[in-house]
Amino acid sequence: MKHLYFVRHGLSVMNKKGVFSGRTETPLDPEGITQARAAGKELRDLQIDLIVSSPMERCRETATIIAKQIGYPVAEIIFEDLFMERAFGVLEGTEYRTDMDLDMHEGVETAKNIIQRARKGIEYLEGLKHDNILVVSHGAIGRALRHALHPEIPYHGSERFENAKIVQLL
């Protein structure tokens, strides 16, 4: 793997409502579909030779739209559980707030655990024989991946990933 690109899924229905979605399935909002198409157009020149996606609906939709935009075979997208969103437990479906200590709530995947999962995800990606990998996933796991690859960037309080924006992690 020479290059690793990350795209957070397009705006979902639950994102638009301003609530925690975590492991709750939610489709893309029409705006999210437009965002995914735009990301695909931007990715055309990067010669992506593998797309790995969270299996969650909003990522499946985003990855499929991007694949079609760049001429990547949709049937060859890999859906991998390591890149699922952080479980938000009792917070799922409640108002999203950035000022919370999420680790203190019942059923929430701890920051330590999501960072550990991100490290496993990186090991998985490193074992693949591709030069330009695109991961389509979620904000929390994206921050965990970024922190695992670049420990100087903290997980807590680091810049959030915008919906359907391309970020080069490696």
Side-chain angles (χ1 to χ4, degrees):
M1 171 175 62
K2 292 180 183 174
H3 302 286
L4 176 61
Y5 300 94
F6 178 86
V7 171
R8 179 181 175 210
H9 58 80
L11 184 74
S12 72
V13 170
M14 289 180 78
N15 290 152
K16 192 159 191 164
K17 290 180 181 177
V19 297
F20 284 100
S21 51
R23 301 280 174 95
T24 302
E25 290 290 9
T26 179
L28 293 180
D29 180 83
E31 182 181 346
I33 293 169
T34 300
Q35 291 171 333
R37 285 185 184 129
K41 288 177 184 174
E42 284 185 53
L43 285 161
R44 285 182 181 156
D45 295 332
L46 295 180
Q47 300 176 340
I48 300 299
D49 54 6
L50 181 66
I51 298 175
V52 179
S53 174
S54 161
M56 300 195 74
E57 180 180 5
R58 55 201 184 265
C59 290
R60 283 181 173 274
E61 286 183 82
T62 302
T64 298
I65 291 166
I66 288 171
K68 289 176 180 178
Q69 290 288 321
I70 67 172
Y72 183 89
V74 172
E76 293 181 19
I77 298 170
I78 296 173
F79 297 100
E80 175 53 56
D81 288 350
L82 288 167
F83 302 105
M84 287 182 69
E85 179 59 295
R86 184 178 188 179
F88 289 115
V90 298
L91 297 174
E92 297 212 12
T94 66
E95 180 185 351
Y96 180 79
R97 294 186 6 232
T98 58
D99 62 343
M100 301 174 73
D101 182 355
L102 300 177
D103 289 357
M104 305 307 291
H105 294 272
E106 182 181 337
V108 174
E109 181 180 18
T110 65
K112 178 182 176 184
N113 286 347
I114 195 170
I115 292 167
Q116 184 178 38
R117 182 160 55 91
R119 288 186 179 117
K120 288 179 184 175
I122 292 165
E123 287 175 20
Y124 169 80
L125 295 171
E126 287 173 340
L128 301 172
K129 306 278 189 242
H130 296 82
D131 289 334
N132 297 304
I133 299 174
L134 172 66
V135 172
V136 179
S137 191
H138 309 268
I141 190 67
R143 288 190 310 279
L145 287 165
R146 181 175 56 202
H147 173 71
L149 289 164
H150 306 283
E152 71 280 6
I153 302 173
Y155 174 72
H156 288 295
S158 66
E159 181 180 352
R160 295 186 57 205
F161 289 99
E162 292 181 45
N163 293 100
K165 295 296 179 192
I166 303 155
V167 176
Q168 185 171 352
L169 296 177
L170 277 180

PDB file of all heavy atoms in Angstrom, residues 2-28:
ATOM      1  N   LYS A   2       0.839   1.984  -1.070  1.00  0.00           N
ATOM      2  CA  LYS A   2       1.623   3.208  -1.160  1.00  0.00           C
ATOM      3  C   LYS A   2       0.819   4.414  -0.680  1.00  0.00           C
ATOM      4  O   LYS A   2       1.354   5.312  -0.067  1.00  0.00           O
ATOM      5  CB  LYS A   2       2.074   3.430  -2.597  1.00  0.00           C
ATOM      6  CG  LYS A   2       3.077   2.411  -3.082  1.00  0.00           C
ATOM      7  CD  LYS A   2       3.485   2.698  -4.505  1.00  0.00           C
ATOM      8  CE  LYS A   2       4.431   1.627  -4.999  1.00  0.00           C
ATOM      9  NZ  LYS A   2       4.743   1.779  -6.413  1.00  0.00           N
ATOM     10  N   HIS A   3      -0.467   4.416  -1.027  1.00  0.00           N
ATOM     11  CA  HIS A   3      -1.321   5.544  -0.673  1.00  0.00           C
ATOM     12  C   HIS A   3      -2.616   5.025  -0.056  1.00  0.00           C
ATOM     13  O   HIS A   3      -3.202   4.069  -0.552  1.00  0.00           O
ATOM     14  CB  HIS A   3      -1.648   6.399  -1.899  1.00  0.00           C
ATOM     15  CG  HIS A   3      -0.428   6.940  -2.575  1.00  0.00           C
ATOM     16  ND1 HIS A   3       0.322   7.967  -2.045  1.00  0.00           N
ATOM     17  CD2 HIS A   3       0.174   6.592  -3.728  1.00  0.00           C
ATOM     18  CE1 HIS A   3       1.334   8.222  -2.849  1.00  0.00           C
ATOM     19  NE2 HIS A   3       1.271   7.402  -3.873  1.00  0.00           N
ATOM     20  N   LEU A   4      -3.036   5.696   0.984  1.00  0.00           N
ATOM     21  CA  LEU A   4      -4.295   5.359   1.641  1.00  0.00           C
ATOM     22  C   LEU A   4      -5.143   6.619   1.695  1.00  0.00           C
ATOM     23  O   LEU A   4      -4.722   7.634   2.261  1.00  0.00           O
ATOM     24  CB  LEU A   4      -4.058   4.828   3.057  1.00  0.00           C
ATOM     25  CG  LEU A   4      -5.321   4.522   3.883  1.00  0.00           C
ATOM     26  CD1 LEU A   4      -6.163   3.441   3.210  1.00  0.00           C
ATOM     27  CD2 LEU A   4      -4.922   4.094   5.293  1.00  0.00           C
ATOM     28  N   TYR A   5      -6.300   6.540   1.069  1.00  0.00           N
ATOM     29  CA  TYR A   5      -7.248   7.647   1.062  1.00  0.00           C
ATOM     30  C   TYR A   5      -8.455   7.264   1.907  1.00  0.00           C
ATOM     31  O   TYR A   5      -8.842   6.093   1.957  1.00  0.00           O
ATOM     32  CB  TYR A   5      -7.698   7.965  -0.372  1.00  0.00           C
ATOM     33  CG  TYR A   5      -6.548   8.349  -1.269  1.00  0.00           C
ATOM     34  CD1 TYR A   5      -5.906   7.394  -2.049  1.00  0.00           C
ATOM     35  CD2 TYR A   5      -6.079   9.663  -1.308  1.00  0.00           C
ATOM     36  CE1 TYR A   5      -4.839   7.738  -2.856  1.00  0.00           C
ATOM     37  CE2 TYR A   5      -5.010  10.016  -2.114  1.00  0.00           C
ATOM     38  CZ  TYR A   5      -4.392   9.047  -2.882  1.00  0.00           C
ATOM     39  OH  TYR A   5      -3.332   9.393  -3.678  1.00  0.00           O
ATOM     40  N   PHE A   6      -9.042   8.260   2.532  1.00  0.00           N
ATOM     41  CA  PHE A   6     -10.202   8.035   3.389  1.00  0.00           C
ATOM     42  C   PHE A   6     -11.318   8.985   2.971  1.00  0.00           C
ATOM     43  O   PHE A   6     -11.067  10.168   2.722  1.00  0.00           O
ATOM     44  CB  PHE A   6      -9.840   8.304   4.859  1.00  0.00           C
ATOM     45  CG  PHE A   6     -11.003   8.133   5.792  1.00  0.00           C
ATOM     46  CD1 PHE A   6     -11.313   6.888   6.300  1.00  0.00           C
ATOM     47  CD2 PHE A   6     -11.792   9.216   6.149  1.00  0.00           C
ATOM     48  CE1 PHE A   6     -12.407   6.723   7.147  1.00  0.00           C
ATOM     49  CE2 PHE A   6     -12.881   9.065   6.995  1.00  0.00           C
ATOM     50  CZ  PHE A   6     -13.185   7.813   7.496  1.00  0.00           C
ATOM     51  N   VAL A   7     -12.527   8.456   2.896  1.00  0.00           N
ATOM     52  CA  VAL A   7     -13.710   9.271   2.648  1.00  0.00           C
ATOM     53  C   VAL A   7     -14.770   8.868   3.663  1.00  0.00           C
ATOM     54  O   VAL A   7     -15.129   7.694   3.752  1.00  0.00           O
ATOM     55  CB  VAL A   7     -14.262   9.090   1.213  1.00  0.00           C
ATOM     56  CG1 VAL A   7     -15.611   9.773   1.056  1.00  0.00           C
ATOM     57  CG2 VAL A   7     -13.285   9.627   0.187  1.00  0.00           C
ATOM     58  N   ARG A   8     -15.223   9.841   4.430  1.00  0.00           N
ATOM     59  CA  ARG A   8     -16.380   9.613   5.291  1.00  0.00           C
ATOM     60  C   ARG A   8     -17.605   9.592   4.378  1.00  0.00           C
ATOM     61  O   ARG A   8     -17.674  10.343   3.406  1.00  0.00           O
ATOM     62  CB  ARG A   8     -16.502  10.744   6.312  1.00  0.00           C
ATOM     63  CG  ARG A   8     -17.699  10.579   7.223  1.00  0.00           C
ATOM     64  CD  ARG A   8     -17.803  11.738   8.195  1.00  0.00           C
ATOM     65  NE  ARG A   8     -19.025  11.622   8.978  1.00  0.00           N
ATOM     66  CZ  ARG A   8     -19.695  12.641   9.464  1.00  0.00           C
ATOM     67  NH1 ARG A   8     -19.254  13.876   9.275  1.00  0.00           N
ATOM     68  NH2 ARG A   8     -20.787  12.445  10.151  1.00  0.00           N
ATOM     69  N   HIS A   9     -18.560   8.743   4.690  1.00  0.00           N
ATOM     70  CA  HIS A   9     -19.779   8.637   3.887  1.00  0.00           C
ATOM     71  C   HIS A   9     -20.436  10.001   3.671  1.00  0.00           C
ATOM     72  O   HIS A   9     -20.207  10.944   4.425  1.00  0.00           O
ATOM     73  CB  HIS A   9     -20.778   7.694   4.566  1.00  0.00           C
ATOM     74  CG  HIS A   9     -21.152   8.137   5.945  1.00  0.00           C
ATOM     75  ND1 HIS A   9     -22.079   9.123   6.189  1.00  0.00           N
ATOM     76  CD2 HIS A   9     -20.688   7.745   7.147  1.00  0.00           C
ATOM     77  CE1 HIS A   9     -22.181   9.318   7.491  1.00  0.00           C
ATOM     78  NE2 HIS A   9     -21.344   8.498   8.102  1.00  0.00           N
ATOM     79  N   GLY A  10     -21.275  10.072   2.660  1.00  0.00           N
ATOM     80  CA  GLY A  10     -22.048  11.285   2.420  1.00  0.00           C
ATOM     81  C   GLY A  10     -23.041  11.522   3.554  1.00  0.00           C
ATOM     82  O   GLY A  10     -23.317  10.629   4.366  1.00  0.00           O
ATOM     83  N   LEU A  11     -23.570  12.720   3.604  1.00  0.00           N
ATOM     84  CA  LEU A  11     -24.526  13.102   4.634  1.00  0.00           C
ATOM     85  C   LEU A  11     -25.679  12.103   4.678  1.00  0.00           C
ATOM     86  O   LEU A  11     -26.311  11.828   3.663  1.00  0.00           O
ATOM     87  CB  LEU A  11     -25.072  14.509   4.344  1.00  0.00           C
ATOM     88  CG  LEU A  11     -26.026  15.087   5.389  1.00  0.00           C
ATOM     89  CD1 LEU A  11     -25.259  15.515   6.630  1.00  0.00           C
ATOM     90  CD2 LEU A  11     -26.800  16.251   4.799  1.00  0.00           C
ATOM     91  N   SER A  12     -25.939  11.559   5.860  1.00  0.00           N
ATOM     92  CA  SER A  12     -27.025  10.596   6.018  1.00  0.00           C
ATOM     93  C   SER A  12     -28.267  11.299   6.569  1.00  0.00           C
ATOM     94  O   SER A  12     -28.199  12.437   7.048  1.00  0.00           O
ATOM     95  CB  SER A  12     -26.606   9.464   6.964  1.00  0.00           C
ATOM     96  OG  SER A  12     -26.557   9.941   8.300  1.00  0.00           O
ATOM     97  N   VAL A  13     -29.370  10.594   6.537  1.00  0.00           N
ATOM     98  CA  VAL A  13     -30.623  11.120   7.077  1.00  0.00           C
ATOM     99  C   VAL A  13     -30.447  11.459   8.558  1.00  0.00           C
ATOM    100  O   VAL A  13     -30.862  12.534   9.016  1.00  0.00           O
ATOM    101  CB  VAL A  13     -31.774  10.116   6.856  1.00  0.00           C
ATOM    102  CG1 VAL A  13     -33.025  10.522   7.614  1.00  0.00           C
ATOM    103  CG2 VAL A  13     -32.072   9.975   5.359  1.00  0.00           C
ATOM    104  N   MET A  14     -29.797  10.577   9.332  1.00  0.00           N
ATOM    105  CA  MET A  14     -29.601  10.837  10.762  1.00  0.00           C
ATOM    106  C   MET A  14     -28.607  11.965  10.998  1.00  0.00           C
ATOM    107  O   MET A  14     -28.758  12.735  11.947  1.00  0.00           O
ATOM    108  CB  MET A  14     -29.208   9.560  11.495  1.00  0.00           C
ATOM    109  CG  MET A  14     -30.373   8.574  11.609  1.00  0.00           C
ATOM    110  SD  MET A  14     -29.947   7.036  12.461  1.00  0.00           S
ATOM    111  CE  MET A  14     -29.977   7.571  14.175  1.00  0.00           C
ATOM    112  N   ASN A  15     -27.566  12.089  10.133  1.00  0.00           N
ATOM    113  CA  ASN A  15     -26.648  13.231  10.245  1.00  0.00           C
ATOM    114  C   ASN A  15     -27.430  14.525  10.109  1.00  0.00           C
ATOM    115  O   ASN A  15     -27.229  15.480  10.861  1.00  0.00           O
ATOM    116  CB  ASN A  15     -25.584  13.226   9.149  1.00  0.00           C
ATOM    117  CG  ASN A  15     -24.544  12.147   9.242  1.00  0.00           C
ATOM    118  OD1 ASN A  15     -24.016  11.749   8.211  1.00  0.00           O
ATOM    119  ND2 ASN A  15     -24.227  11.657  10.419  1.00  0.00           N
ATOM    120  N   LYS A  16     -28.306  14.558   9.133  1.00  0.00           N
ATOM    121  CA  LYS A  16     -29.078  15.774   8.860  1.00  0.00           C
ATOM    122  C   LYS A  16     -29.963  16.136  10.053  1.00  0.00           C
ATOM    123  O   LYS A  16     -30.181  17.316  10.333  1.00  0.00           O
ATOM    124  CB  LYS A  16     -29.914  15.606   7.601  1.00  0.00           C
ATOM    125  CG  LYS A  16     -30.499  16.914   7.119  1.00  0.00           C
ATOM    126  CD  LYS A  16     -30.880  16.848   5.680  1.00  0.00           C
ATOM    127  CE  LYS A  16     -31.195  18.250   5.203  1.00  0.00           C
ATOM    128  NZ  LYS A  16     -31.217  18.334   3.771  1.00  0.00           N
ATOM    129  N   LYS A  17     -30.442  15.121  10.779  1.00  0.00           N
ATOM    130  CA  LYS A  17     -31.275  15.362  11.959  1.00  0.00           C
ATOM    131  C   LYS A  17     -30.435  15.777  13.172  1.00  0.00           C
ATOM    132  O   LYS A  17     -30.982  16.204  14.180  1.00  0.00           O
ATOM    133  CB  LYS A  17     -32.078  14.112  12.314  1.00  0.00           C
ATOM    134  CG  LYS A  17     -33.166  13.792  11.315  1.00  0.00           C
ATOM    135  CD  LYS A  17     -33.912  12.538  11.731  1.00  0.00           C
ATOM    136  CE  LYS A  17     -34.995  12.189  10.729  1.00  0.00           C
ATOM    137  NZ  LYS A  17     -35.687  10.935  11.081  1.00  0.00           N
ATOM    138  N   GLY A  18     -29.108  15.611  13.082  1.00  0.00           N
ATOM    139  CA  GLY A  18     -28.234  15.998  14.185  1.00  0.00           C
ATOM    140  C   GLY A  18     -28.244  15.027  15.347  1.00  0.00           C
ATOM    141  O   GLY A  18     -28.110  15.440  16.498  1.00  0.00           O
ATOM    142  N   VAL A  19     -28.378  13.731  15.034  1.00  0.00           N
ATOM    143  CA  VAL A  19     -28.401  12.726  16.102  1.00  0.00           C
ATOM    144  C   VAL A  19     -27.285  11.705  15.894  1.00  0.00           C
ATOM    145  O   VAL A  19     -26.793  11.514  14.780  1.00  0.00           O
ATOM    146  CB  VAL A  19     -29.775  12.007  16.183  1.00  0.00           C
ATOM    147  CG1 VAL A  19     -30.887  12.986  16.543  1.00  0.00           C
ATOM    148  CG2 VAL A  19     -30.103  11.269  14.902  1.00  0.00           C
ATOM    149  N   PHE A  20     -26.894  11.038  16.989  1.00  0.00           N
ATOM    150  CA  PHE A  20     -25.912   9.952  16.911  1.00  0.00           C
ATOM    151  C   PHE A  20     -26.517   8.812  16.102  1.00  0.00           C
ATOM    152  O   PHE A  20     -27.628   8.369  16.392  1.00  0.00           O
ATOM    153  CB  PHE A  20     -25.567   9.416  18.308  1.00  0.00           C
ATOM    154  CG  PHE A  20     -24.650  10.288  19.109  1.00  0.00           C
ATOM    155  CD1 PHE A  20     -25.160  11.135  20.090  1.00  0.00           C
ATOM    156  CD2 PHE A  20     -23.282  10.251  18.916  1.00  0.00           C
ATOM    157  CE1 PHE A  20     -24.317  11.925  20.847  1.00  0.00           C
ATOM    158  CE2 PHE A  20     -22.432  11.040  19.669  1.00  0.00           C
ATOM    159  CZ  PHE A  20     -22.946  11.880  20.642  1.00  0.00           C
ATOM    160  N   SER A  21     -25.784   8.331  15.112  1.00  0.00           N
ATOM    161  CA  SER A  21     -26.284   7.182  14.353  1.00  0.00           C
ATOM    162  C   SER A  21     -25.483   5.927  14.641  1.00  0.00           C
ATOM    163  O   SER A  21     -26.041   4.847  14.692  1.00  0.00           O
ATOM    164  CB  SER A  21     -26.321   7.480  12.857  1.00  0.00           C
ATOM    165  OG  SER A  21     -25.099   7.981  12.406  1.00  0.00           O
ATOM    166  N   GLY A  22     -24.176   6.043  14.832  1.00  0.00           N
ATOM    167  CA  GLY A  22     -23.356   4.889  15.198  1.00  0.00           C
ATOM    168  C   GLY A  22     -23.658   3.661  14.373  1.00  0.00           C
ATOM    169  O   GLY A  22     -23.498   3.639  13.167  1.00  0.00           O
ATOM    170  N   ARG A  23     -24.131   2.622  15.049  1.00  0.00           N
ATOM    171  CA  ARG A  23     -24.416   1.351  14.382  1.00  0.00           C
ATOM    172  C   ARG A  23     -25.855   1.252  13.887  1.00  0.00           C
ATOM    173  O   ARG A  23     -26.282   0.206  13.416  1.00  0.00           O
ATOM    174  CB  ARG A  23     -24.105   0.188  15.332  1.00  0.00           C
ATOM    175  CG  ARG A  23     -22.655   0.129  15.819  1.00  0.00           C
ATOM    176  CD  ARG A  23     -21.748  -0.492  14.785  1.00  0.00           C
ATOM    177  NE  ARG A  23     -20.346  -0.435  15.163  1.00  0.00           N
ATOM    178  CZ  ARG A  23     -19.689  -1.410  15.763  1.00  0.00           C
ATOM    179  NH1 ARG A  23     -20.297  -2.508  16.111  1.00  0.00           N
ATOM    180  NH2 ARG A  23     -18.406  -1.275  16.036  1.00  0.00           N
ATOM    181  N   THR A  24     -26.599   2.340  13.991  1.00  0.00           N
ATOM    182  CA  THR A  24     -27.964   2.365  13.485  1.00  0.00           C
ATOM    183  C   THR A  24     -27.904   2.606  11.979  1.00  0.00           C
ATOM    184  O   THR A  24     -27.224   3.515  11.518  1.00  0.00           O
ATOM    185  CB  THR A  24     -28.779   3.500  14.155  1.00  0.00           C
ATOM    186  OG1 THR A  24     -28.764   3.302  15.573  1.00  0.00           O
ATOM    187  CG2 THR A  24     -30.216   3.509  13.653  1.00  0.00           C
ATOM    188  N   GLU A  25     -28.610   1.781  11.216  1.00  0.00           N
ATOM    189  CA  GLU A  25     -28.617   1.951   9.766  1.00  0.00           C
ATOM    190  C   GLU A  25     -29.409   3.203   9.391  1.00  0.00           C
ATOM    191  O   GLU A  25     -30.476   3.459   9.951  1.00  0.00           O
ATOM    192  CB  GLU A  25     -29.223   0.724   9.077  1.00  0.00           C
ATOM    193  CG  GLU A  25     -28.339  -0.503   9.160  1.00  0.00           C
ATOM    194  CD  GLU A  25     -27.068  -0.431   8.314  1.00  0.00           C
ATOM    195  OE1 GLU A  25     -26.737   0.645   7.760  1.00  0.00           O
ATOM    196  OE2 GLU A  25     -26.385  -1.461   8.220  1.00  0.00           O
ATOM    197  N   THR A  26     -28.873   3.951   8.472  1.00  0.00           N
ATOM    198  CA  THR A  26     -29.523   5.162   7.967  1.00  0.00           C
ATOM    199  C   THR A  26     -29.034   5.400   6.545  1.00  0.00           C
ATOM    200  O   THR A  26     -27.835   5.304   6.282  1.00  0.00           O
ATOM    201  CB  THR A  26     -29.234   6.378   8.873  1.00  0.00           C
ATOM    202  OG1 THR A  26     -29.859   7.541   8.322  1.00  0.00           O
ATOM    203  CG2 THR A  26     -27.766   6.643   9.064  1.00  0.00           C
ATOM    204  N   PRO A  27     -29.943   5.671   5.624  1.00  0.00           N
ATOM    205  CA  PRO A  27     -29.526   5.899   4.239  1.00  0.00           C
ATOM    206  C   PRO A  27     -28.937   7.292   4.049  1.00  0.00           C
ATOM    207  O   PRO A  27     -29.040   8.152   4.921  1.00  0.00           O
ATOM    208  CB  PRO A  27     -30.835   5.759   3.453  1.00  0.00           C
ATOM    209  CG  PRO A  27     -31.875   6.203   4.424  1.00  0.00           C
ATOM    210  CD  PRO A  27     -31.394   5.745   5.789  1.00  0.00           C
ATOM    211  N   LEU A  28     -28.366   7.500   2.887  1.00  0.00           N
ATOM    212  CA  LEU A  28     -27.888   8.826   2.536  1.00  0.00           C
ATOM    213  C   LEU A  28     -29.072   9.752   2.291  1.00  0.00           C
ATOM    214  O   LEU A  28     -30.087   9.355   1.731  1.00  0.00           O
ATOM    215  CB  LEU A  28     -27.024   8.791   1.273  1.00  0.00           C
ATOM    216  CG  LEU A  28     -25.684   8.077   1.346  1.00  0.00           C
ATOM    217  CD1 LEU A  28     -24.974   8.156   0.007  1.00  0.00           C
ATOM    218  CD2 LEU A  28     -24.817   8.633   2.454  1.00  0.00           C
TER     219      LEU A  28
END
